[in-house]
Amino acid sequence: MKHLVKWALLAFMILLFSSCKKDEPAPVPVKADYLGTVTVTFRGEDVDTDKIEVNFTPSADGKTADILIKKIKFVPQMPVTLDITIPGVTLTAKNNGFELSGEGLVPLAMGGEFPQYTVSGLYGLVAGDKISFLLKFGDYPTKYTGTKL
């Protein structure tokens, strides 16, 4: 009887350990370039600009990323295009990619900071070959949707 209990316990332990799944490694964000559309709400109207490139560059630890929006004019009346970096966007792994978030991020352009256009309410997703995010640059609601190049 003693051996029967021992064998039953051993069989149970084997079943228990063999049924456990191995922990899957956490997904790792990767640098990617996207092409898409920026929509800025200006004076109550949405202004779309197509063919805007965005570079997504995660940090070495995968917890944050910089987002570079290239050659953007926020409104047609804007006399120049700018390359704008949103530094330190928070990344949170999700089952299908990464969630983007950020509050109080000071954008960089032309070699300096632009605190008057501090980013608030940033929320978005990077999943598969798509990126999308929305935010406010100062008082200007802005959204971007793009596909990996």
Side-chain angles (χ1 to χ4, degrees), residues 32 54-59 64-68 85-89 91 108:
V54 162
N55 304 130
F56 174 79
T57 307
S59 61
T64 63
D66 291 347
I67 295 175
L68 170 63
T85 299
I86 306 167
V89 174
L91 300 178
L108 308 171

Side-chain angles (χ1 to χ4, degrees), residues 31 33 39 45 67 69 102 118 121 124 128 139 142:
K31 180 177 173 45
D33 299 326
T39 303
E45 291 187 33
I67 295 175
I69 305 171
T118 295
D139 293 331
T142 304

Side-chain angles (χ1 to χ4, degrees), residues 59-81:
S59 61
D61 65 8
K63 294 181 181 179
T64 63
D66 291 347
I67 295 175
L68 170 63
I69 305 171
K70 296 177 84 175
K71 297 180 181 172
I72 183 168
K73 284 175 104 171
F74 285 101
V75 293
Q77 300 85 349
M78 197 168 150
V80 296
T81 61

Side-chain angles (χ1 to χ4, degrees), residues 13-144:
M13 289 176 62
I14 290 171
L15 284 172
L16 181 67
F17 287 116
S18 67
S19 68
C20 292
K21 283 196 230 175
K22 292 187 178 195
D23 290 335
E24 293 184 25
V28 177
V30 294
K31 180 177 173 45
D33 299 326
Y34 299 87
L35 190 65
T37 301
V38 170
T39 303
V40 177
T41 304
F42 180 70
R43 296 184 179 157
E45 291 187 33
D46 287 346
V47 178
D48 291 338
T49 306
D50 295 324
K51 298 182 181 175
I52 297 295
E53 186 176 336
V54 162
N55 304 130
F56 174 79
T57 307
S59 61
D61 65 8
K63 294 181 181 179
T64 63
D66 291 347
I67 295 175
L68 170 63
I69 305 171
K70 296 177 84 175
K71 297 180 181 172
I72 183 168
K73 284 175 104 171
F74 285 101
V75 293
Q77 300 85 349
M78 197 168 150
V80 296
T81 61
L82 296 174
D83 291 348
I84 297 175
T85 299
I86 306 167
V89 174
T90 301
L91 300 178
T92 305
K94 295 293 178 186
N95 58 359
N96 63 341
F98 291 89
E99 181 178 275
L100 310 172
S101 62
E103 194 68 43
L105 305 174
V106 178
L108 308 171
M110 300 185 313
E113 295 183 338
F114 280 77
Q116 67 272 33
Y117 297 107
T118 295
V119 171
S120 63
L122 189 148
Y123 177 78
L125 294 171
V126 175
D129 66 347
K130 305 280 186 194
I131 187 171
S132 62
F133 56 88
L134 53 91
L135 57 88
K136 284 180 88 175
F137 278 113
D139 293 331
Y140 301 101
T142 304
K143 63 184 173 180
Y144 179 83

